Amino acid sequence: MRRSRGLTAALVLSLAGAGAGMGVVLMPSASALTPPVAFTADELPTWQPDGVVFAMAQANGTVFAGGTFSAVRPPDGAAGTEQEAVNFVALDAATGNPTACKLAFTVGDGTATVRALTVSKDGKTLYAGGYFGAVNGTPVSSLAAVDIETCTPKASFHPAVPATVRALDVTDDTLYIGGDFATVEGQTRERFAAVDAASGALKPFTANADEPGRAVKVSNDGKNVLLGGDFFTVNGSNSHALAVVNATTGAVTKTYGNIPSNSVVKDIAADATGYYTGNEGSGGGVFDGRIGLGLDFNEKWRDRCLGATQFVLPYDGVLYSASHGHDCSTELEFPDGKRNFLMAQPTDHTGTPPAPVDGFVRGPRKLGWHPTANDGIGEGIGPRVMAVAEKADVKYLWVGGEFTQINGKPQAGLTRFANTGDVGAPTTPVASAAAIKPGEVQVRWRTSYDQDDSKLTYRIYRNGSATPIQTMTADSLEFERPQASWTDTTVKAGQSYTYRVTATDGAGNTSALSATASVTVPASVAAYPDKVRADGASLYWRYDDTVSPYVADSSDGGNTSGIQVGAPALNQSPGAVTGTSTAMGFNGTSQQVYSDHRQFVSSSFTVETWFKTNTTRGGKLIGFGNNTVNNSGSYDKQLYMTNTGRLAFGVYNGSTRTITTGLFETYNDNKWHHVVGTQGPGGMTLYVDGQNKGTNSATTSTPYAGYWHVGGDNLNSWPNRPTSNFFAGQIDETAVYPTALTQAQVKSHYDLAKAPADTVSKVPAAEDTYINQGAPATAYGTSTQLAVRGTSAYESYLRFTLPAAPAGQVLKAASLQFKTSTQTGAGTADTVSVVPVTGTWSGAGTTFNTKPTLGTTPLGSIGGVPDGSAIQNVELDTAALSAALGSSYSLGLTSTGTDALWLWSSESTAADAAPQLVLTFGQK
């Protein structure tokens, strides 16, 4: 809408593809940008006006900008460096600096402005329209022609146009104009006219409109002219905002009646395949987006994003637009939120267009090109006009308007982007890792965002290695950043692993490494999460995340990560499921998590979650809504709590259909409870703690695209509406399924959550040291490194205080974890054995001369360790360690070879440096 203000970004995601196991390293494409985008999103230094740029044109490497301003200043805005520029400036396309061409557009009464610029087909004449009475003192009347070579206004070209000219297009011999005027040269020409391109003489062309004209575009064959503006009639024919007329006579050849009355056409552009309109409006039912027309002037598609479109520019199969799009819900893209000022999309659909919705075919999907701007000055419109110029084989996309920032940096009125020199790196991935069964780790990360690359290459590094264990690509957009994942099937039960991920764009710009994601592989299957995945969860949030603001999706192959709002409390323990799972805490006033994936939900679905609370204000546990951070306007498929602690499950199918627990069945008792709502062909069912609490016959719900919300969203007008839309308490193990679970499945989930689960203890070394045969009397108890070699001998000793096994559990797996140091050649080609230490030792007093006795039966070994600082794991004999549980126990590291292994000691401050035992306990 023309003046509406967006508030918050929406992020909706889809995944290109993910591999499993180890794979071949795929190098990024040599292309610096993801086709068909032709320009980077990196702004270039450009001189800036002190006002608004309304018009732009280019010729021979020079860009002409017109508007309402009095001076231009260099990119750094240094004081005293401004140059006078009276409503016009000519700039070098390649440098962004003003040229020697100086033109002043002035008027004796009022404020002069330049509103339209175009260049003749031969590139020799610049035509300018607006409201002005002179150019460099040469009298004109709101329309002028300038000789480009000499930068001189043509005195012989001065048709009398008594009001503002807003639009221009030119053929070899005719200049078409549109604007506010009612006469030209004293003859009736209402809002549109044509004059001789050389002399300015008025032509017979007559296309009288009842309201202002804002756009003119000659058809590709030169036989017709497309007109755009505010009008409702042209030459007496009803046609609102858009019409096609004969290029010679102005007679109407095609009318349009499907543009809303509160919308206008601001711009019309053309390429070899068709025509495109940019539209603006205000009020309910407004059309603010873009229309794609075929060569026959019939509509091919309509992009109904809200946020007034000021300008459209088709270039190499891409339609670039100057807009402030803030709501693309109709296009199944971002919901109402922050403003997106510069966007790109293909000029047409690839393959079969989507089916019409409400009588319109949706516009082509947005591309990965997203420079940012702001509202700026004047009307707060942001960008208003664009042009492509070329110089020295480099192409530049110039943008003008009333913005005062580009990509978060001060830049007023003018900016430009090139087709080379991409320097912006993708955002850093946020990674996590989870394992619910032996031999398998799911590495997940929210895909990164790059302003001009939608396909990024991700590299996954394990245990600190400098060589990626997997390389893959995934797609993402500013508003659609799915979770990507890869399954590592080369891991061993009972051992711990760390993972980090980077993102690289097509130009080779690489993000920083993600934070380290750590995981211990279980010795047996974790029953509850394995069952949730087996029953087909399409979204599964376990809330074990250690980094804000994203929540990982643990479903099998899922791509629906969550986004935390208001910083909910992480790692709340104990969680709902026995074992190591943690929960998330919500404050009941502003905190929630919404899904990072826009989707439709069928009328067969299940929502499931665990919660614990003592609130008396109720709130939403989980639900579906059509917005993200802002309150949803459509919302249902929800589980919520009333003020008294009763639970309700509801959908909307023309009216609200709900099931609520009994009057005395309340669940705000500060205990963990399991709640499930299902809908399918058999109707709706509400389950609490594995028991059926009610059914109804509703088998349908209203279809709309939206997002899952946990912890809050709109509840207005729903039965027994609580005081708060937001839930205060802890939530855990949220899952959504595309089918209705059976009562047996629901009961199974409830029972499995309380089943005994494996537990993992990580025991760091209490003391460590090594001995050196080459310095037989030296003790190394305070060294930050340990060493192992056969000849000449190094041996390392580590002491651990082993815990006793938890009641009813036994040791199921054990491993020693250590990290090689950064010393050159820290790895070894030799086999390193882990043996028990049978003699006594201490860090302060043990030397080669006093070294302890070692056992002869290895507890485990590792056959060679590569160079490069990285974490290593050695699987240990479980039976031997079981016998030592509850006591102090020492291990020795030995080798028979000559290639030394160097590893960090417990005294090191390096990340993940301290040697540790990883012990997995579970049921017998």
Side-chain angles (χ1 to χ4, degrees):
M1 299 182 185
R2 185 177 297 177
R3 297 292 296 167
S4 67
R5 303 280 177 166
L7 297 176
T8 309
L11 304 170
V12 192
L13 313 175
S14 69
L15 177 62
M22 295 181 67
V24 177
V25 173
L26 305 176
M27 296 307 293
S29 166
S31 172
L33 303 168
T34 302
V37 171
F39 302 96
T40 79
D42 302 316
E43 79 286 354
L44 296 173
T46 307
W47 279 59
Q48 308 163 65
D50 61 355
V52 179
V53 173
F54 290 105
M56 192 175 285
Q58 67 83 31
N60 306 316
T62 298
V63 172
F64 307 105
T68 306
F69 49 86
S70 61
V72 291
R73 63 181 183 275
D76 60 8
T81 57
E82 289 187 343
Q83 294 184 14
E84 184 179 62
V86 183
N87 303 313
F88 175 88
V89 63
L91 304 113
D92 185 285
T95 66
N97 300 333
T99 70
C101 178
K102 310 293 183 184
L103 296 172
F105 288 76
T106 57
V107 69
D109 184 22
T111 301
T113 184
V114 175
R115 292 300 179 111
L117 294 169
T118 194
V119 172
S120 63
K121 299 301 180 184
D122 61 10
K124 295 181 178 180
T125 302
L126 172 68
Y127 297 96
Y131 179 70
F132 45 82
V135 180
N136 283 0
T138 299
V140 292
S141 182
S142 294
L143 185 63
V146 176
D147 180 78
I148 292 176
E149 183 177 6
T150 63
C151 188
T152 304
K154 296 183 177 181
S156 61
F157 185 94
H158 50 78
V161 185
T164 302
V165 173
R166 299 182 181 274
L168 299 171
D169 198 19
V170 66
T171 66
D172 289 337
D173 58 7
T174 303
L175 178 67
Y176 295 90
I177 65 175
D180 301 350
F181 50 85
T183 65
V184 175
E185 290 287 285
Q187 299 186 43
T188 300
R189 294 290 190 274
E190 296 177 343
R191 284 84 191 192
F192 295 100
V195 300
D196 185 272
S199 67
L202 185 65
K203 291 201 168 188
F205 174 91
T206 302
N208 291 331
D210 59 331
E211 295 290 345
R214 297 179 181 270
V216 292
K217 175 55 63 177
V218 180
S219 64
N220 291 345
D221 61 8
K223 296 179 180 180
N224 292 280
V225 179
L226 292 87
L227 310 179
D230 301 20
F231 53 80
F232 290 86
T233 64
V234 177
N235 287 343
S237 296
N238 292 327
S239 190
H240 174 53
L242 182 65
V244 183
V245 299
N246 181 274
T248 302
T249 66
V252 176
T253 58
K254 185 173 181 60
T255 60
Y256 296 85
N258 61 357
I259 295 177
S261 60
N262 56 352
S263 298
V264 303
V265 169
K266 294 295 295 289
D267 186 45
I268 304 173
D271 66 7
T273 65
Y275 308 95
Y276 311 92
T277 72
N279 303 267
E280 175 190 81
S282 61
V286 67
F287 171 51
D288 256 355
R290 292 152 291 282
I291 295 174
L293 305 172
L295 294 175
D296 58 1
F297 309 119
N298 290 320
E299 183 171 321
K300 296 188 295 182
W301 53 260
R302 181 174 295 206
D303 184 322
R304 292 183 288 167
C305 289
L306 296 178
T309 305
Q310 302 297 312
F311 199 84
V312 287
L313 191 158
Y315 181 79
D316 275 0
V318 174
L319 186 67
Y320 299 88
S321 56
S323 171
H324 56 255
H326 58 85
D327 186 354
C328 281
S329 299
T330 58
E331 306 305 295
L332 305 184
E333 295 171 338
F334 51 86
D336 196 8
K338 80 179 191 71
R339 292 186 164 195
N340 299 271
F341 292 93
L342 295 167
M343 297 187 293
Q345 61 196 125
T347 53
D348 210 347
H349 291 285
T350 300
T352 303
V357 177
D358 300 330
F360 300 105
V361 174
R362 287 196 305 270
R365 190 166 175 74
K366 305 301 181 298
L367 297 169
W369 183 76
H370 197 83
T372 63
N374 67 345
D375 295 339
I377 59 178
E379 296 181 54
I381 293 292
R384 284 184 171 273
V385 65
M386 296 185 287
V388 173
E390 182 175 353
K391 190 168 185 180
D393 296 325
V394 178
K395 299 177 177 64
Y396 301 90
L397 174 60
W398 280 71
V399 179
E402 50 199 64
F403 51 84
T404 57
Q405 287 188 346
I406 293 293
N407 291 333
K409 305 168 189 173
Q411 181 67 35
L414 284 169
T415 192
R416 62 201 173 96
F417 309 93
N419 67 339
T420 63
D422 180 11
V423 297
T427 58
T428 302
V430 177
S432 65
I436 65 171
K437 60 180 63 175
E440 182 178 299
V441 169
Q442 184 191 45
V443 185
R444 304 83 53 96
W445 62 95
R446 186 178 189 241
T447 48
S448 298
Y449 163 55
D450 189 274
Q451 285 187 299
D452 38 36
D453 287 278
S454 59
K455 184 180 289 295
L456 301 175
T457 298
Y458 296 91
R459 291 178 173 82
I460 306 164
Y461 299 86
R462 187 174 77 180
N463 288 351
S465 172
T467 302
I469 190 173
Q470 175 69 2
T471 300
M472 55 178 281
T473 62
D475 289 343
S476 57
L477 297 169
E478 190 272 345
F479 58 87
E480 184 171 283
R481 294 171 59 188
Q483 175 176 294
S485 65
W486 170 73
T487 301
D488 186 352
T489 58
T490 65
V491 295
K492 294 182 179 181
Q495 297 190 9
S496 293
Y497 297 87
T498 64
Y499 298 88
R500 302 182 80 179
V501 183
T502 63
T504 302
D505 67 15
N509 302 305
T510 299
S511 74
L513 280 162
S514 70
T516 300
S518 302
V519 64
T520 300
V521 182
S524 58
V525 173
Y528 182 89
D530 188 58
K531 179 63 173 172
V532 170
R533 294 178 69 178
D535 283 343
S538 56
L539 177 155
Y540 184 20
W541 294 342
R542 304 203 68 200
Y543 307 109
D544 297 334
D545 309 273
T546 58
V547 180
S548 297
Y550 308 116
V551 175
D553 181 4
S554 294
S555 65
D556 191 5
N559 67 347
T560 310
S561 57
I563 299 179
Q564 302 167 29
V565 177
L570 304 181
N571 304 122
Q572 303 294 287
S573 185
V577 176
T578 301
T580 59
S581 177
T582 59
M584 182 172 284
F586 297 83
N587 62 10
T589 58
S590 59
Q591 295 172 340
Q592 63 160 306
V593 175
Y594 66 86
S595 63
D596 209 1
H597 178 60
R598 188 182 184 90
Q599 60 185 286
F600 283 96
V601 177
S602 72
S603 290
S604 289
F605 68 92
T606 296
V607 287
E608 172 183 43
T609 199
W610 289 78
F611 68 91
K612 183 172 71 172
T613 186
N614 59 3
T615 184
T616 57
R617 290 167 46 83
K620 181 173 292 192
L621 292 165
I622 180 173
F624 193 71
N626 69 340
N627 214 306
T628 51
V629 177
N630 295 340
N631 259 354
S632 294
S634 298
Y635 44 97
D636 74 333
K637 305 173 186 66
Q638 58 195 7
L639 294 165
Y640 61 96
M641 178 175 277
T642 70
N643 287 346
T644 60
R646 299 168 69 190
L647 294 172
F649 169 51
V651 302
Y652 183 83
N653 59 6
S655 62
T656 56
R657 302 296 302 272
T658 59
I659 305 168
T660 306
T661 57
L663 189 61
F664 301 106
E665 293 181 310
T666 58
Y667 300 92
N668 55 347
D669 55 4
N670 219 27
K671 298 179 181 178
W672 280 112
H673 293 284
H674 180 233
V675 59
V676 178
T678 71
Q679 184 179 46
M684 296 170 59
T685 307
L686 172 63
Y687 302 92
V688 181
D689 294 339
Q691 298 181 358
N692 185 329
K693 294 298 180 179
T695 63
N696 68 27
S697 60
T699 60
T700 62
S701 56
T702 302
Y704 58 92
Y707 311 84
W708 290 106
H709 293 253
V710 168
D713 194 18
N714 210 343
L715 282 169
N716 287 343
S717 302
W718 278 75
N720 299 304
R721 180 180 183 269
T723 300
S724 175
N725 288 342
F726 293 89
F727 177 78
Q730 295 180 352
I731 295 178
D732 200 6
E733 301 290 332
T734 300
V736 176
Y737 305 79
T739 59
L741 295 184
T742 66
Q743 183 163 0
Q745 288 173 308
V746 172
K747 183 63 163 57
S748 173
H749 291 194
Y750 176 70
D751 292 340
L752 287 173
K754 301 307 177 185
D758 291 352
T759 59
V760 176
S761 293
K762 294 186 177 181
V763 184
E767 187 175 16
D768 51 31
T769 190
Y770 78 99
I771 56 90
N772 178 4
Q773 187 177 13
T778 302
Y780 294 92
T782 59
S783 172
T784 60
Q785 294 190 65
L786 304 175
V788 183
R789 185 172 62 194
T791 305
S792 62
Y794 295 142
E795 288 178 358
S796 289
Y797 314 120
L798 306 100
R799 181 176 289 112
F800 299 92
T801 302
L802 299 183
Q809 294 188 339
V810 297
L811 183 64
K812 298 178 68 175
S815 65
L816 171 66
Q817 177 180 299
F818 62 85
K819 186 176 185 180
T820 50
S821 74
T822 53
Q823 178 170 308
T824 301
T828 179
D830 299 328
T831 295
V832 174
S833 296
V834 181
V835 297
V837 177
T838 58
T840 60
W841 65 277
S842 69
T846 296
T847 68
F848 179 81
N849 291 334
T850 61
K851 66 187 181 73
T853 303
L854 302 182
T856 57
T857 302
L859 301 175
S861 63
I862 183 168
V865 176
D867 287 339
S869 181
I871 293 172
Q872 307 295 328
N873 281 276
V874 183
E875 189 173 358
L876 301 180
D877 186 305
T878 303
L881 264 72
S882 294
L885 291 176
S887 68
S888 179
Y889 190 71
S890 293
L891 299 176
L893 278 69
T894 69
S895 171
T896 59
T898 58
D899 186 11
L901 169 71
W902 290 91
L903 60 147
W904 294 119
S905 75
S906 57
E907 282 76 19
S908 171
T909 59
D912 305 311
Q916 61 180 342
L917 290 177
V918 181
L919 307 177
T920 301
F921 297 97
Q923 295 296 299
K924 295 180 181 178

